[in-house]
Amino acid sequence: MKKILVFGGTSFVGKHFEKSFKSEYIVKSYGRGVDVRKKDAIINKVKSFEPDIVINMASVPTIRDSFKNPNLTYDVSFHGTDNILSSLSDVGFNGEFLYISSSEVYGDSCPKEGGISEFMHTSPESPYAVAKLSAESLCKYHANTAPFSVNVARPFNHIGPEQTERFAISNFAKQ
């Protein structure tokens, strides 16, 4: 059975991801217990688990939080992603890497009608979005130089059971 290692995987989305995939994969998720800003911690987890797939969901969780501490936001998303990607190269990883970015990178550039393409103009409007887009650039660089597959996803808002009240829709629902 293939193994998936998830950084930032104890979040709302990470918990649902693990539930959805645990019947088909062995999933190991780490949250704040593994600081992606510390490369040696990443290397230890990768070496001990030997994953086939690595997913990076680690980030400051909300746009509001990103305005309160932009430096932490940049450090976790940009430097954390760089640490993960370079750690994977250092240990000879040859599987697949997926970076979870955000539709926030589009800002107000999304059209009022019609679909959205990943090739649309980006216009980040928060430290959160700037950090995500910067980390995407790292992914593009590593996609051209790393011996493993590098992919990026830009999900839009998601809601569901067990989401904290820090997010608007779950807050409204709980009221």
Side-chain angles (χ1 to χ4, degrees):
M1 195 178 292
K2 284 191 173 187
K3 297 191 284 185
I4 302 175
L5 178 60
V6 184
F7 293 101
T10 59
S11 64
F12 165 69
V13 174
K15 289 176 186 174
H16 285 281
F17 174 85
E18 189 167 345
K19 284 180 194 173
S20 298
F21 287 91
K22 70 180 179 181
S23 64
E24 299 173 46
Y25 298 89
I26 299 167
V27 180
K28 183 72 176 168
S29 297
Y30 292 101
R32 291 184 177 149
V34 175
D35 189 344
V36 294
R37 298 170 297 168
K38 299 189 184 319
K39 192 172 175 183
D40 58 334
I42 296 164
I43 289 173
N44 288 337
K45 298 304 178 192
V46 172
K47 281 184 174 179
S48 66
F49 189 62
E50 298 181 340
D52 300 290
I53 301 166
V54 175
I55 300 173
N56 182 16
M57 295 185 190
S59 71
V60 169
T62 67
I63 295 166
R64 183 177 352 135
D65 290 342
S66 79
F67 281 107
K68 290 178 185 173
N69 197 340
N71 288 333
L72 176 64
T73 302
Y74 303 139
D75 210 19
V76 171
S77 288
F78 183 81
H79 292 114
T81 300
D82 189 44
N83 284 339
I84 294 169
L85 288 164
S86 60
S87 294
L88 294 174
S89 289
D90 290 352
V91 302
F93 178 74
N94 64 0
E96 298 176 55
F97 173 81
L98 174 62
Y99 177 68
I100 306 299
S101 183
S102 171
S103 62
E104 285 295 320
V105 301
Y106 297 116
D108 280 340
S109 67
C110 292
K112 302 298 181 224
E113 295 178 17
I116 294 175
S117 163
E118 66 269 19
F119 302 108
M120 288 182 58
H121 175 72
T122 55
S123 183
E125 297 175 346
S126 68
Y128 176 86
V130 169
K132 289 291 191 178
L133 190 58
S134 298
E136 284 187 26
S137 293
L138 283 171
C139 291
K140 287 178 186 174
Y141 165 73
H142 282 272
N144 293 322
T145 61
F148 52 88
S149 170
V150 178
N151 298 285
V152 173
R154 288 181 179 165
F156 283 74
N157 294 347
H158 22 265
I159 60 170
E162 302 174 32
Q163 189 173 29
T164 69
E165 294 177 33
R166 294 175 64 202
F167 298 91
I169 295 174
S170 62
N171 187 302
F172 299 152
K174 288 180 182 176
Q175 290 176 33

